[in-house]
Amino acid sequence: QKEVEQDPGPLSVPEGAIVSLNCTYSNSAFQYFMWYRQYSRKGPELLMYTYSSGNKEDGRFTAQVDKSSKYISLFIRDSQPSDSATYLCAMSFLTQGGSEKLVFGKGTKLTVNP
Amino acid sequence: NAGVMQNPRHLVRRRGQEARLRCSPMKGHSHVYWYRQLPEEGLKFMVYLQKENIIDESGMPKERFSAEFPKEGPSILRIQQVVRGDSAAYFCASSSPGQFPYGYTFGSGTRLTVV
């Protein structure tokens, strides 16, 4: 079983739709739960991060973490064509050496059609 | 603030040649991380460095790969005797102590193609 599982999609929705992206994980030692957005030929850009179970909202984006089920979600309301990108979930843990190591899902490619 | 700078953006090497990828961290950042993104795969951690020190290289292949972050200049990821399976996008990220995760910033990557 991989540490982080994410459905790669692709996912295609009409403009204005609500988008739901999900990841599951197996490692209870993960501390931070993050969502990155990656446009084609670009590096990942941090969208949101959370530390504890519950919801965190930022504009049209809501990140949700359920540690008991080892499940995280990202919701995008009123999706726009500019949201078209690959969305990567990532989780971190602190190693013995003191490094913050990120473990990524494979990414879900999202297309929002005008 | 120029962000994390990686060069070259694209690199083509023939099998057996050496590839050198450079990463200049954001101003004020002292920690550098390298990740590799294979086609259809997520990013995988390779190595974590601070100035003149390799802190964690648990994700580095045992042979042909090395990394450094000298006192002066960019961090270098070096791949000797490249093979087709090394073709991937290589990303570096930089951060400063106490700024994780919001200050953990990725560069735009170097796309290595081995022919």
Side-chain angles (χ1 to χ4, degrees):
Chain A
Q1 182 189 11
K2 293 195 175 193
E3 281 193 290
V4 178
E5 299 270 10
Q6 182 177 10
D7 185 344
L11 188 59
S12 182
V13 301
E15 185 174 353
I18 296 174
V19 175
S20 172
L21 304 166
N22 311 292
C23 288
T24 58
Y25 64 95
S26 58
N27 190 343
S28 299
F30 287 139
Q31 295 180 309
Y32 282 96
F33 303 88
M34 291 152 284
W35 286 95
Y36 283 83
R37 179 173 60 196
Q38 187 176 21
Y39 291 113
S40 182
R41 303 294 181 183
K42 296 289 187 184
E45 167 197 13
L46 182 64
L47 263 182
M48 296 187 72
Y49 67 92
T50 57
Y51 185 78
S52 55
S53 283
N55 292 354
K56 183 177 180 180
E57 196 171 310
D58 184 2
R60 297 184 294 110
F61 297 87
T62 300
Q64 190 175 79
V65 173
D66 182 346
K67 285 190 175 182
S68 62
S69 303
K70 294 190 175 65
Y71 189 87
I72 72 169
S73 299
L74 178 71
F75 299 97
I76 307 174
R77 290 184 298 281
D78 187 25
S79 55
Q80 303 294 310
S82 59
D83 295 328
S84 298
T86 297
Y87 290 80
L88 303 159
C89 63
M91 296 156 202
S92 75
F93 64 94
L94 189 62
T95 68
Q96 285 186 332
S99 65
E100 289 283 1
K101 192 178 294 187
L102 298 184
V103 181
F104 283 87
K106 285 188 178 183
T108 301
K109 186 171 183 180
L110 170 67
T111 301
V112 181
N113 301 300
Chain B
N1 191 340
V4 178
M5 303 300 292
Q6 288 190 250
N7 65 81
R9 291 295 305 276
H10 301 275
L11 183 61
V12 179
R13 283 289 177 266
R14 295 188 185 278
R15 280 176 293 171
Q17 291 185 319
E18 178 180 285
R20 281 185 173 235
L21 289 62
R22 296 175 193 79
C23 170
S24 295
M26 282 184 70
K27 189 175 180 180
H29 284 189
S30 56
H31 299 185
V32 167
Y33 300 79
W34 285 93
Y35 287 80
R36 177 166 64 173
Q37 189 173 37
L38 291 164
E40 309 303 323
E41 294 287 330
L43 282 85
K44 300 275 192 244
F45 169 83
M46 298 181 76
V47 62
Y48 161 49
L49 310 104
Q50 295 178 15
K51 286 282 186 182
E52 299 184 283
N53 280 304
I54 296 173
I55 307 300
D56 182 347
E57 57 182 345
S58 58
M60 289 278 270
K62 298 294 181 217
E63 296 174 350
R64 303 187 297 108
F65 285 72
S66 62
E68 63 177 8
F69 189 15
K71 189 176 179 181
E72 301 289 338
S75 175
I76 305 285
L77 179 67
R78 183 180 175 207
I79 312 172
Q80 294 178 292
Q81 298 173 344
V82 296
V83 301
R84 289 241 170 96
D86 297 331
S87 295
Y90 292 82
F91 292 93
C92 96
S94 72
S95 71
S96 273
Q99 289 190 349
F100 185 84
Y102 55 90
Y104 201 97
T105 306
F106 282 87
S108 291
T110 292
R111 277 144 191 90
L112 172 66
T113 302
V114 179
V115 296

